[in-house]
Amino acid sequence: MDPNQHLNNTAEEKSSGKRKKRRCDGFKIFLGAMSLSFICKALGGVIMKTSITQIERRFDIPSSTAGIIDGGFEIGNLLVIVFVSYYGSKVHRPKVIGIGTFIMGVGSIMTALPHFFMGYYKYSTDAHINLSENSTLTCLVNQTLSLTGTQPEITEEGCEKESSYMWIYVLMGNMLRGIGETPIVPLGISYIDDFAKEGHSSVYIGGLQAISMIGPIIGFVMGSVFAKMYVDIGYVDLSSIRITPTDSRWVGAWWLSFLMSGLLSIISSIPFFFLHKNPYKSKKERKVSASLHVLKTNEERTQTANLTNHEKKTTINTDGLFQSLKILLTNHLYVIYLILTLLQISGFIGVFTYAFKYTEQQYGQSASQANILLGLITLPAVATGMFSGGYIIKKLKLTLIGIAKFSFFTYFMSVLFFLLKFGLLCENKSIAGLTLAYDGINPVASHIDVPHSYCNSDCNCDEDQWEPICGDNGITYMSPCLAGCTSSSGQKKSIVFHNCTCIEGSNFQNTNYSARLGECPRDDNCKKKYYFDLTAQVISSVCTALGSASFVMLLVKNVPPELKSLAMGCHSLTIRTLGGILAPVYFGALIDKTCLKWSINSCGEQGTCRVYNSVLFGYVYLGLIILLNVLALILYIVLIYAMKKKYEGKDTKASEDREKITEEPNLEPLNNNGCVVPSGVVKETHN
C-alpha cells in the first residue's frame, strides 16, 4: 500500500472518530437540555395547581373563575398544536423547542407580574364599618376600625375596578405557558426517535419521563415553603399582619413560585439555540453540502416539475383526511374508549385542581401542609404504581383483552378506595350565625339573615365583616362585634376580646366569655380522619397508576396502524377541550354553590368565598368525581364486551399468524419492552 494513502486513511479515521465524538456530544447536550425542559414543564403545571387557592384569594374571585384560569393552559396549547404537529418535522426542531421553552418561561413570569401592580394585599377589605351616632352599645366597632385600618366605603372613589380584573393577566400568562409547552414533547420525542441509535429511543424517552418527576417534587416543596410566606413579604412589616397561614384570608407568596419557574425555563432554553438541526452533521460536512450548489439546483428543478402533481394531490389528501376521520369515528371501540378516558381524566383533573382547597376546608389544614403531604406522599406512590403496572403486564404477557380487564380491575379498586372518603368527612365548622344559632346548640338551616341575634342586636355590626374570632366555648364568631365583645387586651395576633355577650348567652359553663383572633381549630377526631383520608387517597392513586400503563395500548391498538397518529391527535384534542378546559370550570362552579360566606370587595361586589359548608362541599366534590368514575367503569364493561365480540374465536397469543394481525394488530402479544408490536414493524417505535 502506498504510504501516502495509508496516512490519508489514518487521518480520515481520526477525523471520523472526532466527528463521532462531536455527534455523541451534540446528542447528549440535546438530551440534557430536554431533561431540564421536561422538569420545567412539569414544575409549571404543579405550581399552578398548588397556587390556585392563593390566586382565588389574592384576586378575590370565585372558584369557577379560578377554573377558567387553570384551563387557560389547555386553551393556549390548542391554539398552536395543529401548526406544531404539521410543520414540526419541517423546521429546526431544537430551535423551535428552545423558543417554546423560552415562551413557557415568559408565560410563568407574566403570571406573577400582576402582584407588582396591584398594591398591597388587604385581607380585610370586606369590613365596611358604618358607624351610627345613636348606637347604644358600641361593642368593638371602634377597636375593629383601628385593627383593620381605614376601610374604603362602597363609593365610586374607593372602588378599584382595575384591580378586580387583574386576574385576566394571570389567565394570559397561563395561556402563554401553554403555547410555549406545545412543541416540547412532540418535537423532542420525534427528534430523539430520529437520531437515537437503533432500539435506544424508548430508553431515552423513558428516562426523560422519569427525570421529569423531579419537577413535581420541586413544585410541591416550593409551594409548601412559599405558602408559609406572606404574599407581600419584603414590602410590609410582617409583625403587623394579624392573620396566620390557617386563616381563610391568608395568601402566601404564590408569585415567587412562578418567577422561579419562569427563570428556570428561560435558562433551560439557552442550549437549544446552539444545537444543529441534524446532530450527525459536522461543521465541515455542512460546508461541503453548502458548496454542492449544482446538486441543489437540480433538486429544485425536480421539485418544480413535481409542483403540479403536488397541487393535484392536495384535494386527494383532503378527501383522504375526511375518509380517515370517518373510519375512526365509526370505529365503536375507539369511540367508547375516547368517551371513557374523557370521563376518567375529567375526574382526575377535578381531583388534582381542587384537592388542596378540599383539604384546607374539610380538615383545617394550611396550604403549606396540604402541599407537602399530598404532594410528597402521593407522588412516589403514583410513580411506583406506574412502573409496577408495566411490569405486571409484561410479566403476565397479557393480550389486549387481558390488558383491558386489568385496567378495569385497577380502576374499579381505585374507585372502591375513593368511596371510603365519604365516611371520613368532618362535620361543619361551628360558626355562630352560619352553621349554628347563637345559643351554640341548634343548627342553622339557612344562613340568610341570621348574623344578628339578641346578644348583638345593639352593636350596629356590619354583616359583611369577616374578622373571625374563636370563643372559649369552641364556637367561631364572624367578628368581635357580632360576638358582642366590649373590651380587649393585647395587640395584633395576641389580642384577646373580653365580655362577649354572645359567648355568655351560649349556655356554656366554665368560660370567661373571652375570644381570640382566628377561627377555632378542628377537633382531634377530624384531624385523625385527615390521615385516614390521605391513606385512602394514596391507595386509590396507586391503583389508578397501575392501570395507566395500558393507556396508549388500548388507544392505538384498536385502530388500523395507519390511523394511529390521527387517533392520538383526535384523542388529545377531545381531552384537552372537554376535559382540561371544562372540568376545572364546572367543578369550580359546583363548589361555589356550597359557599356560606362571601367576601365583599371595595366595589360592593361578591369576591372569593371565606367559608364553605364543609359537609356539602365534600358531597359535591367527591360525588361529582364518583359520578364520572362510575360512568367510566360502565363504559369499561361495554368496551371489554365489544372487544370480546369482535375478537371472538381469534387466537391472541404469540403463535398467531401475523398476516391476520395486519387487519387487527391489536391482538398481537407484548414484546420484551411491554409494548404491543404491530405486524410489519421492524424498527422499534415508541407510542
Side-chain angles (χ1 to χ4, degrees), residues 37 69 120 187 260 266 399 413 427 447 495 513 523 676:
S37 183
I69 293 175
Y120 300 149
L187 300 192
M260 292 187 67
I266 290 173
T399 60
M413 294 303 297
E427 295 180 356
H447 63 279
I495 191 169
Y513 315 132
D523 57 31
V676 181

Side-chain angles (χ1 to χ4, degrees), residues 176-187:
L176 199 61
R177 190 172 63 87
I179 291 172
E181 187 265 354
T182 306
I184 294 175
V185 174
L187 300 192

Side-chain angles (χ1 to χ4, degrees), residues 493-676:
K493 291 182 182 179
S494 60
I495 191 169
V496 178
F497 302 91
H498 305 288
N499 303 320
C500 303
T501 56
C502 291
I503 298 177
E504 182 180 356
S506 61
N507 299 322
F508 281 85
Q509 303 298 323
N510 301 323
T511 64
N512 57 5
Y513 315 132
S514 62
R516 55 179 175 77
L517 276 177
E519 296 180 40
C520 294
R522 288 288 197 175
D523 57 31
D524 292 336
N525 184 43
C526 184
K527 291 178 181 178
K528 290 178 181 177
K529 285 184 177 181
Y530 170 62
Y531 294 106
F532 285 112
D533 177 88
L534 188 62
T535 303
Q537 178 66 53
V538 169
I539 298 174
S540 176
S541 299
V542 170
C543 292
T544 302
L546 281 170
S548 64
S550 59
F551 179 82
V552 175
M553 292 183 232
L554 290 174
L555 176 63
V556 301
K557 300 308 176 184
N558 278 314
V559 298
E562 65 274 9
L563 297 181
K564 284 193 298 183
S565 297
L566 183 62
M568 293 186 71
C570 289
H571 183 270
S572 177
L573 181 66
T574 304
I575 296 300
R576 288 181 183 277
T577 305
L578 302 180
I581 297 175
L582 293 184
V585 177
Y586 61 72
F587 264 89
L590 288 174
I591 288 172
D592 284 338
K593 298 293 184 182
T594 68
C595 183
L596 292 177
K597 176 69 175 178
W598 292 95
S599 68
I600 304 298
N601 60 26
S602 58
C603 300
E605 298 173 346
Q606 179 179 292
T608 190
C609 186
R610 294 303 189 198
V611 62
Y612 292 87
N613 181 329
S614 56
V615 174
L616 186 58
F617 186 135
Y619 283 131
V620 168
Y621 174 69
L622 300 178
L624 183 54
I625 295 167
I626 289 296
L627 175 63
L628 294 171
N629 289 344
V630 169
L631 291 175
L633 284 173
I634 294 172
L635 286 179
Y636 256 120
I637 296 172
V638 174
L639 177 68
I640 294 171
Y641 175 78
M643 290 174 66
K644 281 185 175 181
K645 190 174 181 181
K646 181 176 181 179
Y647 305 136
E648 186 177 1
K650 296 183 180 180
D651 185 13
T652 59
K653 299 298 181 182
S655 59
E656 184 174 39
D657 187 3
R658 289 186 177 267
E659 291 182 1
K660 289 183 180 180
I661 304 171
T662 303
E663 293 183 3
E664 274 139 21
N666 39 336
L667 301 179
E668 194 67 11
L670 302 176
N671 64 7
N672 292 332
N673 293 322
C675 300
V676 181

Side-chain angles (χ1 to χ4, degrees), residues 401-421:
I401 296 176
I403 290 171
K405 291 179 179 178
F406 175 73
S407 184
F408 168 77
F409 174 75
T410 55
Y411 194 51
F412 175 77
M413 294 303 297
S414 172
V415 175
L416 207 60
F417 280 105
F418 198 85
L419 280 170
L420 296 177
K421 294 166 74 73

Side-chain angles (χ1 to χ4, degrees), residues 29-326:
I29 292 172
F30 179 80
L31 288 176
M34 279 297 295
S35 299
L36 276 176
S37 183
F38 266 58
I39 290 172
C40 293
K41 181 174 73 71
L43 174 63
V46 168
I47 285 175
M48 176 54 71
K49 297 294 185 184
T50 58
S51 302
I52 200 70
T53 304
Q54 312 288 318
I55 291 172
E56 266 186 54
R57 296 171 183 171
R58 182 65 181 94
F59 296 94
D60 216 13
I61 55 177
S63 295
S64 55
T65 304
I68 295 174
I69 293 175
D70 186 66
F73 177 83
E74 303 295 347
I75 296 173
N77 210 294
L78 288 173
L79 289 176
V80 296
I81 193 170
V82 174
F83 301 100
V84 169
S85 300
Y86 184 76
Y87 294 105
S89 60
K90 302 175 177 62
V91 296
H92 195 301
R93 282 177 286 185
K95 285 186 178 179
V96 173
I97 294 172
I99 292 170
T101 308
F102 181 83
I103 292 174
M104 186 171 66
V106 172
S108 292
I109 293 174
M110 183 178 178
T111 302
L113 283 182
H115 166 76
F116 300 98
F117 303 121
M118 289 182 65
Y120 300 149
Y121 172 54
K122 300 175 184 177
Y123 49 82
S124 291
T125 52
D126 56 343
H128 306 297
I129 309 300
N130 297 317
L131 297 175
S132 176
E133 293 180 358
N134 59 358
S135 177
T136 58
L137 181 63
T138 60
C139 296
L140 275 187
V141 173
N142 292 330
Q143 286 88 334
T144 302
L145 276 172
S146 66
L147 279 170
T148 58
T150 302
Q151 299 299 332
E153 298 295 331
I154 306 175
T155 60
E156 194 67 30
E157 290 77 11
C159 181
E160 299 175 357
K161 279 284 186 182
E162 295 80 7
S163 297
S164 62
Y165 292 103
M166 290 294 283
W167 63 268
I168 295 176
Y169 293 98
V170 180
L171 171 63
M172 292 171 62
N174 203 29
M175 288 177 62
L176 199 61
R177 190 172 63 87
I179 291 172
E181 187 265 354
T182 306
I184 294 175
V185 174
L187 300 192
I189 289 178
S190 65
Y191 190 86
I192 291 171
D193 191 55
D194 287 345
F195 298 113
K197 290 182 180 180
E198 188 76 21
H200 285 204
S201 60
S202 60
V203 178
Y204 292 138
I205 294 170
L208 283 176
Q209 297 290 351
I211 290 172
S212 69
M213 297 297 285
I214 297 173
I217 293 174
I218 296 174
F220 284 122
V221 173
M222 196 183 294
S224 177
V225 172
F226 292 149
K228 292 180 182 177
M229 301 179 184
Y230 186 63
V231 61
D232 291 320
I233 186 172
Y235 296 94
V236 298
D237 181 10
L238 297 181
S239 63
S240 65
I241 305 302
R242 303 187 315 276
I243 58 176
T244 63
T246 57
D247 195 293
S248 63
R249 296 166 295 172
W250 177 268
V251 176
W254 61 275
W255 51 277
L256 276 173
S257 299
F258 286 100
L259 277 184
M260 292 187 67
S261 173
L263 290 174
L264 188 59
S265 295
I266 290 173
I267 292 171
S268 66
S269 71
I270 295 174
F272 289 107
F273 295 102
F274 297 95
L275 294 172
H276 305 312
K277 185 176 182 180
N278 185 342
Y280 288 170
K281 220 173 189 181
S282 67
K283 185 176 181 180
K284 183 177 179 181
E285 288 173 327
R286 287 196 300 275
K287 287 183 179 179
V288 171
S289 64
S291 65
L292 298 178
H293 181 67
V294 177
L295 293 177
K296 186 176 180 181
T297 303
N298 291 335
E299 184 178 342
E300 289 176 353
R301 289 175 181 174
T302 305
Q303 291 177 355
T304 303
N306 293 331
L307 183 60
T308 306
N309 293 332
H310 175 73
E311 292 175 351
K312 289 180 180 179
K313 291 178 180 178
T314 302
T315 306
I316 300 174
N317 290 338
T318 305
D319 294 339
L321 174 62
F322 287 111
Q323 184 65 27
S324 298
L325 284 173
K326 182 180 178 181

